[in-house]
Amino acid sequence: VERDALLQRRDPSTGGAQLIAANVDLVGIVCGLDRPVKRGRLQRFAALAWDAGSTPLIVLTKADVATDTEEALRDAEQASPGVEAIVVSAETGAGLDGLRERLAGSTVVFVGESGAGKSSLLNALAGRDLAATGSVRSGDRKGRHTTTARQLHSIGGAYWVIDTPGVREVGLQAAAGSVDAAFDDISELAAGCRFRDCRHDTEPGCAVRAAVEGGALSADRLEAWRRLRREAEAAELRADEHARRESERAFGRVVRDAKRMKRG
């Protein structure tokens, strides 16, 4: 099958690209409600999903142990405006029918940290144990790596699910434009900036800064955009440098081969 979508992150050990999944329609960003929802993690995974050519979907699990699911849902939606969020419980079955309808006819990859409930969610959707599950520590709600490899599962012939190991770090390996897609509210405001290449910093006539000053956009969200934009731009520079070095090596091989042929 020809690859038309590739989800990847920056490998924390090598700094290069670490492939997560290919040919996925949806990226299910799974967050357990037995712990605080991390806005930065949602925004990073959303940017990676857009960069892959997939659609991000926030799945808030463990609703049965949450103190306030509505507040958690609002927080997730505020972190990633325009990204759909669904609250579910693998334990009670709450929200699973709605999630099944959303996944119908698609291929989804579940991503998130260990203990977020990815494997439990997969088992609940399938109605049987397809993946091993483990407990979480009571102190910080962190989980052990019960899923050690990526695996594709067909769920009743209605949709496909890829279960993945938990990740601690979500390093960006994405184009800067994908960050803009994850912050489309800022992109819409930026259309009103005086300069097309406005960095929303000190430039005059910046509509984004004006929105912050007027209270229409939070300063924290603008700072999150700046932080991820810088990281994405650095990733692009690294990729360009890698491509340049590969080109130089290839040219060097051609020169060496030509010299050998001349000597021969």
PDB file of all heavy atoms in Angstrom, residues 135-166:
ATOM      1  N   SER A 135      -1.352  -1.685  35.975  1.00  0.00           N
ATOM      2  CA  SER A 135      -1.807  -0.705  36.959  1.00  0.00           C
ATOM      3  C   SER A 135      -0.949   0.549  36.880  1.00  0.00           C
ATOM      4  O   SER A 135       0.080   0.585  36.214  1.00  0.00           O
ATOM      5  CB  SER A 135      -1.710  -1.305  38.368  1.00  0.00           C
ATOM      6  OG  SER A 135      -0.366  -1.689  38.644  1.00  0.00           O
ATOM      7  N   VAL A 136      -1.391   1.589  37.577  1.00  0.00           N
ATOM      8  CA  VAL A 136      -0.619   2.831  37.655  1.00  0.00           C
ATOM      9  C   VAL A 136      -0.218   3.064  39.096  1.00  0.00           C
ATOM     10  O   VAL A 136      -0.846   2.565  40.028  1.00  0.00           O
ATOM     11  CB  VAL A 136      -1.434   4.043  37.140  1.00  0.00           C
ATOM     12  CG1 VAL A 136      -1.736   3.887  35.666  1.00  0.00           C
ATOM     13  CG2 VAL A 136      -2.717   4.218  37.940  1.00  0.00           C
ATOM     14  N   ARG A 137       0.870   3.818  39.284  1.00  0.00           N
ATOM     15  CA  ARG A 137       1.311   4.139  40.627  1.00  0.00           C
ATOM     16  C   ARG A 137       0.324   5.090  41.271  1.00  0.00           C
ATOM     17  O   ARG A 137      -0.192   5.996  40.623  1.00  0.00           O
ATOM     18  CB  ARG A 137       2.712   4.771  40.590  1.00  0.00           C
ATOM     19  CG  ARG A 137       3.792   3.842  40.065  1.00  0.00           C
ATOM     20  CD  ARG A 137       5.173   4.402  40.390  1.00  0.00           C
ATOM     21  NE  ARG A 137       5.408   5.674  39.721  1.00  0.00           N
ATOM     22  CZ  ARG A 137       6.163   5.818  38.641  1.00  0.00           C
ATOM     23  NH1 ARG A 137       6.729   4.766  38.082  1.00  0.00           N
ATOM     24  NH2 ARG A 137       6.359   7.019  38.106  1.00  0.00           N
ATOM     25  N   SER A 138       0.064   4.896  42.541  1.00  0.00           N
ATOM     26  CA  SER A 138      -0.925   5.729  43.228  1.00  0.00           C
ATOM     27  C   SER A 138      -0.431   7.150  43.444  1.00  0.00           C
ATOM     28  O   SER A 138      -1.223   8.085  43.515  1.00  0.00           O
ATOM     29  CB  SER A 138      -1.286   5.101  44.584  1.00  0.00           C
ATOM     30  OG  SER A 138      -0.113   4.975  45.391  1.00  0.00           O
ATOM     31  N   GLY A 139       0.898   7.344  43.521  1.00  0.00           N
ATOM     32  CA  GLY A 139       1.429   8.669  43.812  1.00  0.00           C
ATOM     33  C   GLY A 139       1.290   9.646  42.677  1.00  0.00           C
ATOM     34  O   GLY A 139       0.790  10.751  42.840  1.00  0.00           O
ATOM     35  N   ASP A 140       1.753   9.245  41.456  1.00  0.00           N
ATOM     36  CA  ASP A 140       1.747  10.184  40.327  1.00  0.00           C
ATOM     37  C   ASP A 140       0.918   9.690  39.157  1.00  0.00           C
ATOM     38  O   ASP A 140       0.897  10.325  38.111  1.00  0.00           O
ATOM     39  CB  ASP A 140       3.184  10.453  39.855  1.00  0.00           C
ATOM     40  CG  ASP A 140       3.926   9.169  39.489  1.00  0.00           C
ATOM     41  OD1 ASP A 140       3.281   8.107  39.425  1.00  0.00           O
ATOM     42  OD2 ASP A 140       5.147   9.234  39.272  1.00  0.00           O
ATOM     43  N   ARG A 141       0.229   8.550  39.324  1.00  0.00           N
ATOM     44  CA  ARG A 141      -0.649   7.979  38.302  1.00  0.00           C
ATOM     45  C   ARG A 141       0.108   7.578  37.043  1.00  0.00           C
ATOM     46  O   ARG A 141      -0.477   7.429  35.984  1.00  0.00           O
ATOM     47  CB  ARG A 141      -1.788   8.938  37.925  1.00  0.00           C
ATOM     48  CG  ARG A 141      -2.530   9.551  39.090  1.00  0.00           C
ATOM     49  CD  ARG A 141      -2.999   8.505  40.080  1.00  0.00           C
ATOM     50  NE  ARG A 141      -3.929   7.553  39.484  1.00  0.00           N
ATOM     51  CZ  ARG A 141      -4.335   6.427  40.090  1.00  0.00           C
ATOM     52  NH1 ARG A 141      -3.859   6.116  41.280  1.00  0.00           N
ATOM     53  NH2 ARG A 141      -5.180   5.627  39.494  1.00  0.00           N
ATOM     54  N   LYS A 142       1.427   7.372  37.149  1.00  0.00           N
ATOM     55  CA  LYS A 142       2.207   6.927  36.005  1.00  0.00           C
ATOM     56  C   LYS A 142       2.030   5.426  35.827  1.00  0.00           C
ATOM     57  O   LYS A 142       1.885   4.681  36.788  1.00  0.00           O
ATOM     58  CB  LYS A 142       3.700   7.246  36.185  1.00  0.00           C
ATOM     59  CG  LYS A 142       3.988   8.737  36.301  1.00  0.00           C
ATOM     60  CD  LYS A 142       3.693   9.439  34.993  1.00  0.00           C
ATOM     61  CE  LYS A 142       4.098  10.910  35.090  1.00  0.00           C
ATOM     62  NZ  LYS A 142       3.822  11.653  33.859  1.00  0.00           N
ATOM     63  N   GLY A 143       2.064   4.988  34.571  1.00  0.00           N
ATOM     64  CA  GLY A 143       1.881   3.573  34.286  1.00  0.00           C
ATOM     65  C   GLY A 143       3.158   2.913  33.818  1.00  0.00           C
ATOM     66  O   GLY A 143       4.142   3.567  33.476  1.00  0.00           O
ATOM     67  N   ARG A 144       3.144   1.589  33.829  1.00  0.00           N
ATOM     68  CA  ARG A 144       4.259   0.826  33.285  1.00  0.00           C
ATOM     69  C   ARG A 144       4.015   0.591  31.802  1.00  0.00           C
ATOM     70  O   ARG A 144       2.898   0.652  31.318  1.00  0.00           O
ATOM     71  CB  ARG A 144       4.398  -0.519  34.003  1.00  0.00           C
ATOM     72  CG  ARG A 144       4.687  -0.404  35.489  1.00  0.00           C
ATOM     73  CD  ARG A 144       4.859  -1.778  36.109  1.00  0.00           C
ATOM     74  NE  ARG A 144       5.179  -1.692  37.528  1.00  0.00           N
ATOM     75  CZ  ARG A 144       4.266  -1.639  38.483  1.00  0.00           C
ATOM     76  NH1 ARG A 144       2.987  -1.662  38.178  1.00  0.00           N
ATOM     77  NH2 ARG A 144       4.620  -1.553  39.741  1.00  0.00           N
ATOM     78  N   HIS A 145       5.081   0.267  31.077  1.00  0.00           N
ATOM     79  CA  HIS A 145       4.972   0.028  29.640  1.00  0.00           C
ATOM     80  C   HIS A 145       4.444  -1.391  29.390  1.00  0.00           C
ATOM     81  O   HIS A 145       5.196  -2.322  29.129  1.00  0.00           O
ATOM     82  CB  HIS A 145       6.337   0.204  28.963  1.00  0.00           C
ATOM     83  CG  HIS A 145       6.779   1.636  28.902  1.00  0.00           C
ATOM     84  ND1 HIS A 145       6.265   2.539  28.003  1.00  0.00           N
ATOM     85  CD2 HIS A 145       7.675   2.318  29.641  1.00  0.00           C
ATOM     86  CE1 HIS A 145       6.843   3.719  28.171  1.00  0.00           C
ATOM     87  NE2 HIS A 145       7.690   3.612  29.161  1.00  0.00           N
ATOM     88  N   THR A 146       3.128  -1.560  29.466  1.00  0.00           N
ATOM     89  CA  THR A 146       2.554  -2.879  29.192  1.00  0.00           C
ATOM     90  C   THR A 146       2.497  -3.155  27.698  1.00  0.00           C
ATOM     91  O   THR A 146       2.561  -4.295  27.270  1.00  0.00           O
ATOM     92  CB  THR A 146       1.138  -2.976  29.789  1.00  0.00           C
ATOM     93  OG1 THR A 146       0.350  -1.865  29.332  1.00  0.00           O
ATOM     94  CG2 THR A 146       1.196  -2.932  31.304  1.00  0.00           C
ATOM     95  N   THR A 147       2.367  -2.093  26.882  1.00  0.00           N
ATOM     96  CA  THR A 147       2.433  -2.248  25.431  1.00  0.00           C
ATOM     97  C   THR A 147       3.848  -1.930  25.002  1.00  0.00           C
ATOM     98  O   THR A 147       4.352  -0.839  25.226  1.00  0.00           O
ATOM     99  CB  THR A 147       1.451  -1.280  24.728  1.00  0.00           C
ATOM    100  OG1 THR A 147       0.133  -1.563  25.168  1.00  0.00           O
ATOM    101  CG2 THR A 147       1.525  -1.453  23.224  1.00  0.00           C
ATOM    102  N   THR A 148       4.517  -2.903  24.387  1.00  0.00           N
ATOM    103  CA  THR A 148       5.926  -2.738  24.033  1.00  0.00           C
ATOM    104  C   THR A 148       6.150  -2.645  22.533  1.00  0.00           C
ATOM    105  O   THR A 148       7.266  -2.395  22.091  1.00  0.00           O
ATOM    106  CB  THR A 148       6.748  -3.915  24.583  1.00  0.00           C
ATOM    107  OG1 THR A 148       6.201  -5.147  24.079  1.00  0.00           O
ATOM    108  CG2 THR A 148       6.696  -3.944  26.107  1.00  0.00           C
ATOM    109  N   ALA A 149       5.114  -2.856  21.739  1.00  0.00           N
ATOM    110  CA  ALA A 149       5.252  -2.783  20.282  1.00  0.00           C
ATOM    111  C   ALA A 149       3.945  -2.289  19.675  1.00  0.00           C
ATOM    112  O   ALA A 149       2.874  -2.440  20.274  1.00  0.00           O
ATOM    113  CB  ALA A 149       5.614  -4.152  19.706  1.00  0.00           C
ATOM    114  N   ARG A 150       4.027  -1.703  18.506  1.00  0.00           N
ATOM    115  CA  ARG A 150       2.828  -1.245  17.813  1.00  0.00           C
ATOM    116  C   ARG A 150       2.126  -2.451  17.177  1.00  0.00           C
ATOM    117  O   ARG A 150       2.764  -3.311  16.611  1.00  0.00           O
ATOM    118  CB  ARG A 150       3.189  -0.225  16.741  1.00  0.00           C
ATOM    119  CG  ARG A 150       3.889   0.996  17.289  1.00  0.00           C
ATOM    120  CD  ARG A 150       4.521   1.816  16.169  1.00  0.00           C
ATOM    121  NE  ARG A 150       5.340   2.894  16.703  1.00  0.00           N
ATOM    122  CZ  ARG A 150       6.599   2.752  17.101  1.00  0.00           C
ATOM    123  NH1 ARG A 150       7.177   1.552  17.028  1.00  0.00           N
ATOM    124  NH2 ARG A 150       7.278   3.774  17.579  1.00  0.00           N
ATOM    125  N   GLN A 151       0.809  -2.454  17.287  1.00  0.00           N
ATOM    126  CA  GLN A 151       0.045  -3.570  16.709  1.00  0.00           C
ATOM    127  C   GLN A 151      -1.272  -3.056  16.144  1.00  0.00           C
ATOM    128  O   GLN A 151      -1.950  -2.223  16.760  1.00  0.00           O
ATOM    129  CB  GLN A 151      -0.217  -4.648  17.764  1.00  0.00           C
ATOM    130  CG  GLN A 151      -0.787  -5.933  17.165  1.00  0.00           C
ATOM    131  CD  GLN A 151      -0.774  -7.074  18.163  1.00  0.00           C
ATOM    132  OE1 GLN A 151      -0.295  -6.923  19.289  1.00  0.00           O
ATOM    133  NE2 GLN A 151      -1.291  -8.220  17.757  1.00  0.00           N
ATOM    134  N   LEU A 152      -1.621  -3.554  14.969  1.00  0.00           N
ATOM    135  CA  LEU A 152      -2.845  -3.161  14.279  1.00  0.00           C
ATOM    136  C   LEU A 152      -3.943  -4.180  14.560  1.00  0.00           C
ATOM    137  O   LEU A 152      -3.735  -5.380  14.421  1.00  0.00           O
ATOM    138  CB  LEU A 152      -2.582  -3.067  12.777  1.00  0.00           C
ATOM    139  CG  LEU A 152      -3.770  -2.718  11.874  1.00  0.00           C
ATOM    140  CD1 LEU A 152      -4.251  -1.305  12.152  1.00  0.00           C
ATOM    141  CD2 LEU A 152      -3.371  -2.857  10.399  1.00  0.00           C
ATOM    142  N   HIS A 153      -5.120  -3.690  14.965  1.00  0.00           N
ATOM    143  CA  HIS A 153      -6.247  -4.558  15.293  1.00  0.00           C
ATOM    144  C   HIS A 153      -7.472  -4.160  14.475  1.00  0.00           C
ATOM    145  O   HIS A 153      -7.781  -2.973  14.336  1.00  0.00           O
ATOM    146  CB  HIS A 153      -6.607  -4.460  16.782  1.00  0.00           C
ATOM    147  CG  HIS A 153      -5.475  -4.770  17.711  1.00  0.00           C
ATOM    148  ND1 HIS A 153      -5.169  -6.048  18.124  1.00  0.00           N
ATOM    149  CD2 HIS A 153      -4.567  -3.944  18.308  1.00  0.00           C
ATOM    150  CE1 HIS A 153      -4.125  -6.005  18.950  1.00  0.00           C
ATOM    151  NE2 HIS A 153      -3.747  -4.748  19.071  1.00  0.00           N
ATOM    152  N   SER A 154      -8.166  -5.149  13.954  1.00  0.00           N
ATOM    153  CA  SER A 154      -9.445  -4.912  13.287  1.00  0.00           C
ATOM    154  C   SER A 154     -10.541  -5.064  14.332  1.00  0.00           C
ATOM    155  O   SER A 154     -10.641  -6.098  14.998  1.00  0.00           O
ATOM    156  CB  SER A 154      -9.658  -5.917  12.153  1.00  0.00           C
ATOM    157  OG  SER A 154     -10.947  -5.763  11.598  1.00  0.00           O
ATOM    158  N   ILE A 155     -11.369  -4.040  14.483  1.00  0.00           N
ATOM    159  CA  ILE A 155     -12.435  -4.074  15.487  1.00  0.00           C
ATOM    160  C   ILE A 155     -13.770  -4.342  14.781  1.00  0.00           C
ATOM    161  O   ILE A 155     -14.404  -3.429  14.236  1.00  0.00           O
ATOM    162  CB  ILE A 155     -12.511  -2.758  16.274  1.00  0.00           C
ATOM    163  CG1 ILE A 155     -11.130  -2.372  16.812  1.00  0.00           C
ATOM    164  CG2 ILE A 155     -13.520  -2.880  17.420  1.00  0.00           C
ATOM    165  CD1 ILE A 155     -10.512  -3.382  17.756  1.00  0.00           C
ATOM    166  N   GLY A 156     -14.138  -5.586  14.773  1.00  0.00           N
ATOM    167  CA  GLY A 156     -15.415  -6.001  14.195  1.00  0.00           C
ATOM    168  C   GLY A 156     -15.578  -5.662  12.729  1.00  0.00           C
ATOM    169  O   GLY A 156     -16.702  -5.586  12.224  1.00  0.00           O
ATOM    170  N   GLY A 157     -14.483  -5.432  12.027  1.00  0.00           N
ATOM    171  CA  GLY A 157     -14.557  -5.071  10.625  1.00  0.00           C
ATOM    172  C   GLY A 157     -15.067  -3.657  10.392  1.00  0.00           C
ATOM    173  O   GLY A 157     -15.236  -3.237   9.243  1.00  0.00           O
ATOM    174  N   ALA A 158     -15.306  -2.897  11.484  1.00  0.00           N
ATOM    175  CA  ALA A 158     -15.867  -1.543  11.349  1.00  0.00           C
ATOM    176  C   ALA A 158     -14.771  -0.480  11.253  1.00  0.00           C
ATOM    177  O   ALA A 158     -14.950   0.547  10.602  1.00  0.00           O
ATOM    178  CB  ALA A 158     -16.772  -1.231  12.525  1.00  0.00           C
ATOM    179  N   TYR A 159     -13.641  -0.718  11.909  1.00  0.00           N
ATOM    180  CA  TYR A 159     -12.532   0.219  11.880  1.00  0.00           C
ATOM    181  C   TYR A 159     -11.281  -0.491  12.373  1.00  0.00           C
ATOM    182  O   TYR A 159     -11.342  -1.625  12.890  1.00  0.00           O
ATOM    183  CB  TYR A 159     -12.811   1.464  12.739  1.00  0.00           C
ATOM    184  CG  TYR A 159     -13.301   1.168  14.134  1.00  0.00           C
ATOM    185  CD1 TYR A 159     -12.407   1.007  15.201  1.00  0.00           C
ATOM    186  CD2 TYR A 159     -14.658   1.038  14.412  1.00  0.00           C
ATOM    187  CE1 TYR A 159     -12.850   0.736  16.478  1.00  0.00           C
ATOM    188  CE2 TYR A 159     -15.108   0.768  15.682  1.00  0.00           C
ATOM    189  CZ  TYR A 159     -14.208   0.608  16.719  1.00  0.00           C
ATOM    190  OH  TYR A 159     -14.653   0.320  17.972  1.00  0.00           O
ATOM    191  N   TRP A 160     -10.138   0.143  12.193  1.00  0.00           N
ATOM    192  CA  TRP A 160      -8.856  -0.413  12.598  1.00  0.00           C
ATOM    193  C   TRP A 160      -8.242   0.467  13.680  1.00  0.00           C
ATOM    194  O   TRP A 160      -8.341   1.696  13.623  1.00  0.00           O
ATOM    195  CB  TRP A 160      -7.899  -0.490  11.409  1.00  0.00           C
ATOM    196  CG  TRP A 160      -8.353  -1.430  10.327  1.00  0.00           C
ATOM    197  CD1 TRP A 160      -9.258  -1.166   9.339  1.00  0.00           C
ATOM    198  CD2 TRP A 160      -7.932  -2.781  10.145  1.00  0.00           C
ATOM    199  NE1 TRP A 160      -9.424  -2.276   8.549  1.00  0.00           N
ATOM    200  CE2 TRP A 160      -8.624  -3.283   9.008  1.00  0.00           C
ATOM    201  CE3 TRP A 160      -7.040  -3.614  10.805  1.00  0.00           C
ATOM    202  CZ2 TRP A 160      -8.445  -4.568   8.542  1.00  0.00           C
ATOM    203  CZ3 TRP A 160      -6.856  -4.910  10.335  1.00  0.00           C
ATOM    204  CH2 TRP A 160      -7.542  -5.369   9.224  1.00  0.00           C
ATOM    205  N   VAL A 161      -7.593  -0.174  14.665  1.00  0.00           N
ATOM    206  CA  VAL A 161      -6.946   0.556  15.758  1.00  0.00           C
ATOM    207  C   VAL A 161      -5.495   0.102  15.880  1.00  0.00           C
ATOM    208  O   VAL A 161      -5.216  -1.100  15.894  1.00  0.00           O
ATOM    209  CB  VAL A 161      -7.665   0.328  17.106  1.00  0.00           C
ATOM    210  CG1 VAL A 161      -6.888   1.013  18.239  1.00  0.00           C
ATOM    211  CG2 VAL A 161      -9.088   0.849  17.058  1.00  0.00           C
ATOM    212  N   ILE A 162      -4.586   1.063  15.952  1.00  0.00           N
ATOM    213  CA  ILE A 162      -3.184   0.775  16.226  1.00  0.00           C
ATOM    214  C   ILE A 162      -2.892   1.182  17.653  1.00  0.00           C
ATOM    215  O   ILE A 162      -3.049   2.354  18.018  1.00  0.00           O
ATOM    216  CB  ILE A 162      -2.249   1.534  15.267  1.00  0.00           C
ATOM    217  CG1 ILE A 162      -2.574   1.189  13.807  1.00  0.00           C
ATOM    218  CG2 ILE A 162      -0.782   1.212  15.583  1.00  0.00           C
ATOM    219  CD1 ILE A 162      -1.769   2.008  12.801  1.00  0.00           C
ATOM    220  N   ASP A 163      -2.493   0.216  18.473  1.00  0.00           N
ATOM    221  CA  ASP A 163      -2.111   0.490  19.859  1.00  0.00           C
ATOM    222  C   ASP A 163      -0.608   0.705  19.890  1.00  0.00           C
ATOM    223  O   ASP A 163       0.146  -0.030  19.243  1.00  0.00           O
ATOM    224  CB  ASP A 163      -2.507  -0.691  20.751  1.00  0.00           C
ATOM    225  CG  ASP A 163      -2.406  -0.352  22.233  1.00  0.00           C
ATOM    226  OD1 ASP A 163      -2.443   0.838  22.559  1.00  0.00           O
ATOM    227  OD2 ASP A 163      -2.299  -1.295  23.047  1.00  0.00           O
ATOM    228  N   THR A 164      -0.144   1.706  20.629  1.00  0.00           N
ATOM    229  CA  THR A 164       1.281   2.037  20.657  1.00  0.00           C
ATOM    230  C   THR A 164       1.793   2.108  22.085  1.00  0.00           C
ATOM    231  O   THR A 164       1.027   2.348  23.022  1.00  0.00           O
ATOM    232  CB  THR A 164       1.557   3.398  19.972  1.00  0.00           C
ATOM    233  OG1 THR A 164       0.915   4.439  20.724  1.00  0.00           O
ATOM    234  CG2 THR A 164       1.029   3.402  18.541  1.00  0.00           C
ATOM    235  N   PRO A 165       3.101   1.904  22.277  1.00  0.00           N
ATOM    236  CA  PRO A 165       3.677   2.079  23.618  1.00  0.00           C
ATOM    237  C   PRO A 165       3.543   3.517  24.092  1.00  0.00           C
ATOM    238  O   PRO A 165       3.484   4.449  23.284  1.00  0.00           O
ATOM    239  CB  PRO A 165       5.156   1.696  23.418  1.00  0.00           C
ATOM    240  CG  PRO A 165       5.185   0.888  22.155  1.00  0.00           C
ATOM    241  CD  PRO A 165       4.102   1.447  21.294  1.00  0.00           C
ATOM    242  N   GLY A 166       3.500   3.709  25.411  1.00  0.00           N
ATOM    243  CA  GLY A 166       3.416   5.052  25.963  1.00  0.00           C
ATOM    244  C   GLY A 166       4.688   5.842  25.722  1.00  0.00           C
ATOM    245  O   GLY A 166       5.778   5.274  25.625  1.00  0.00           O
TER     246      GLY A 166
END
